[in-house]
Amino acid sequence: MKYKEGRASKSPTRNKLLVTAGVGWLFDALDVGILSFVIAALAIDWQLSPTQIGWIGSVNSIGMAVGALLCGVLADRYGRKNIFMWTLLIFSVASGLSALTTTLAAFLILRFIIGMGLGGELPVASTLVSESVAAHERGRIVVLLESFWAAGWLLAAIISYFVIPAYGWRIALVITAIPALYAVYLRVKLPDSKKFETVQKEARTSMLTNMKNVWHKKYARQTIMLWIVWFMVVFSYYGMFLWLPSVMVMKGFSLIQSFEYVLVMTLAQLPGYFTAAWLIEKWGRKRVLSVYLVGTAISALVFGMASGTALLVVAGMFLSFFNLGAWGAMYAYTPENYPTVIRGTGVGMAASVGRIGGIIGPLLVGSLTAAGISLSYIFGIFAIAILIAVVAVITLGKETKQTELEDAI
């Protein structure tokens, strides 16, 4: 039985769903964004080596890999709403507790738990929204959902700029625990996906079967494509953006100056999302994703080689613009490649593979900078990774613009 999405998607329910899920997405970005600034402060406060700094970002991504896989599979079994709520609660409480740590080991343990919540929330939220919006506007709405990430990063930059220098990184982390209250609200207010409820009434399959079906011959080609794209995009994003304030310090700026410039760069994320949201229903998923990824690769090369302040800031703004626009297109595109019965599993597995890249990226930057490798060389590696993702999209991807979502295999 195929669930028809109808014109009801234009009702306030759709907008409420977008805002409700979006605010949860914002809190995720707030936590990840603050971590990049906290890392720069911790490096000074705890006298951390580049390798130790790299491990903070990588442990966070290890948790995200586990959370994405586990929560994606569970969402196909127990519903999108329930898993979404629990992921918010897990990372909120753990984030607040991380403010109390006094050792790197304790901080890393809590970052793993935080990462599980973060990694689980993102694919589940995008799946929920994708299933709840009509085909003619689905891509645009999911990209707009992703735009809340920019708002979260902007808020993180503002909090870090005003709070960390004056009150310390611990207070900044306490602020990120606020989403725990929002999770309680979600339990009562957030509706689950009607497509999920319809399919679950007719066909309930085991979690192991769902994981196997992601590699069904009908979906194997797009699974390969998505895994390559997710790995390369997440590898480059976390390698570049978690290190961004620290990279600015390496280029000779003070901690305060680096926070100022990263705040300016972060502002460019919003037009990146909004232009991608406008274009995705006109150009299609493949074209928007490919163009924004190419823009990311070029911007990464220029940023790595830049020495003057003006060129550095402009390149950083273009890097934020194109990279986050590509993220929006990727989140819109991924759920559309699978039927409802395995959609959460498919998205979660792709995101989990991506998080493996997120583990390697920060560690690579830490080890290469410790070895004295130049930033232009390091950012060149990330540019090549992004171009590999472009090739995968063009050669293996199928266009899903405004198509009805399948329910069964």
Side-chain angles (χ1 to χ4, degrees):
M1 177 179 178
K2 190 172 183 64
Y3 172 73
K4 299 292 184 181
E5 289 165 303
R7 294 288 178 179
S9 63
K10 288 190 174 182
S11 69
T13 301
R14 180 210 58 188
N15 295 331
K16 288 180 180 179
L17 174 63
L18 175 62
V19 173
T20 300
V23 173
W25 208 289
L26 181 151
F27 285 133
D28 273 12
L30 173 63
D31 185 273
V32 174
I34 278 186
L35 177 61
S36 70
F37 295 98
V38 167
I39 285 174
L42 277 178
I44 298 172
D45 196 7
W46 287 357
Q47 299 182 340
L48 301 179
S49 68
T51 301
Q52 288 174 316
I53 295 172
W55 268 110
I56 294 176
S58 292
V59 164
N60 189 74
S61 290
I62 293 172
M64 293 183 82
V66 174
L69 176 60
L70 182 62
C71 294
V73 172
L74 290 175
D76 279 336
R77 186 70 175 177
Y78 299 107
R80 286 65 163 123
K81 168 189 172 179
N82 293 330
I83 304 303
F84 181 42
M85 185 275 295
W86 279 108
T87 57
L88 277 171
L89 191 60
I90 289 169
F91 90 73
S92 301
V93 173
S95 186
L97 291 175
S98 68
L100 306 176
T101 56
T102 56
T103 66
L104 179 60
F107 190 82
L108 290 175
I109 291 171
L110 285 169
R111 282 313 313 180
F112 173 80
I113 297 172
I114 293 166
M116 285 188 63
L118 291 170
E121 190 273 337
L122 298 175
V124 173
S126 62
T127 299
L128 172 61
V129 174
S130 184
E131 291 177 346
S132 304
V133 179
H136 70 279
E137 59 180 357
R138 185 175 59 239
R140 178 172 58 86
I141 295 301
V142 176
V143 177
L144 289 176
L145 168 67
E146 246 283 277
S147 72
F148 282 84
W149 185 271
W153 257 90
L154 181 60
L155 184 58
I158 293 171
I159 291 172
S160 299
Y161 178 72
F162 288 105
V163 173
I164 293 179
Y167 304 102
W169 57 269
R170 297 182 189 277
I171 299 301
L173 289 178
V174 168
I175 294 174
T176 65
I178 295 175
L181 300 176
Y182 184 67
V184 177
Y185 168 83
L186 279 178
R187 172 174 285 180
V188 178
K189 299 291 184 179
L190 186 67
D192 211 334
S193 161
K194 291 183 179 179
K195 288 185 72 68
F196 167 78
E197 292 175 345
T198 301
V199 169
Q200 285 299 87
K201 288 177 181 177
E202 299 179 355
R204 179 184 290 269
T205 54
S206 70
M207 291 184 286
L208 182 59
T209 299
N210 286 347
M211 294 176 70
K212 290 180 179 179
N213 284 337
V214 167
W215 284 100
H216 187 280
K217 61 181 181 180
K218 188 176 180 180
Y219 308 107
R221 183 184 179 96
Q222 52 254 51
T223 294
I224 293 172
M225 179 272 297
L226 290 171
W227 285 23
I228 293 173
V229 172
W230 272 89
F231 181 91
M232 296 302 175
V233 170
V234 180
F235 163 74
S236 58
Y237 174 81
Y238 281 92
M240 293 187 294
F241 281 83
L242 274 184
W243 274 86
L244 204 53
S246 300
V247 165
M248 298 298 290
V249 173
M250 292 177 192
K251 285 182 175 285
F253 299 97
S254 69
L255 188 64
I256 301 298
Q257 286 177 318
S258 75
F259 285 5
E260 289 177 350
Y261 291 135
V262 173
L263 175 58
V264 173
M265 295 174 195
T266 302
L267 289 171
Q269 294 183 11
L270 282 169
Y273 282 123
F274 294 150
T275 54
W278 181 68
L279 291 171
I280 202 163
E281 299 297 358
K282 297 179 180 294
W283 288 3
R285 282 57 163 152
K286 288 182 61 176
R287 187 176 178 186
V288 170
L289 184 54
S290 299
V291 168
Y292 277 70
L293 286 176
V294 170
T296 300
I298 295 172
S299 301
L301 283 174
V302 176
F303 183 85
M305 294 185 292
S307 55
T309 302
L311 181 59
L312 196 65
V313 172
V314 171
M317 291 179 70
F318 275 106
L319 184 62
S320 292
F321 176 92
F322 283 114
N323 189 261
L324 277 299
W327 270 92
M330 187 170 69
Y331 267 110
Y333 187 38
T334 305
E336 296 176 342
N337 280 276
Y338 297 104
T340 303
V341 69
I342 60 169
R343 185 167 296 119
T345 302
V347 177
M349 290 179 72
S352 182
V353 169
R355 301 307 169 186
I356 296 174
I359 297 166
I360 299 171
L363 282 177
L364 180 67
V365 178
S367 61
L368 291 180
T369 53
I373 304 300
S374 69
L375 289 171
S376 59
Y377 180 85
I378 294 171
F379 275 75
I381 293 174
F382 293 132
I384 293 172
I386 289 294
L387 292 177
I388 291 173
V390 174
V391 173
V393 172
I394 294 173
T395 59
L396 298 175
K398 67 173 186 177
E399 184 54 61
T400 57
K401 182 180 73 171
Q402 298 181 5
T403 57
E404 291 289 340
L405 297 179
E406 297 179 37
D407 284 341
I409 297 173

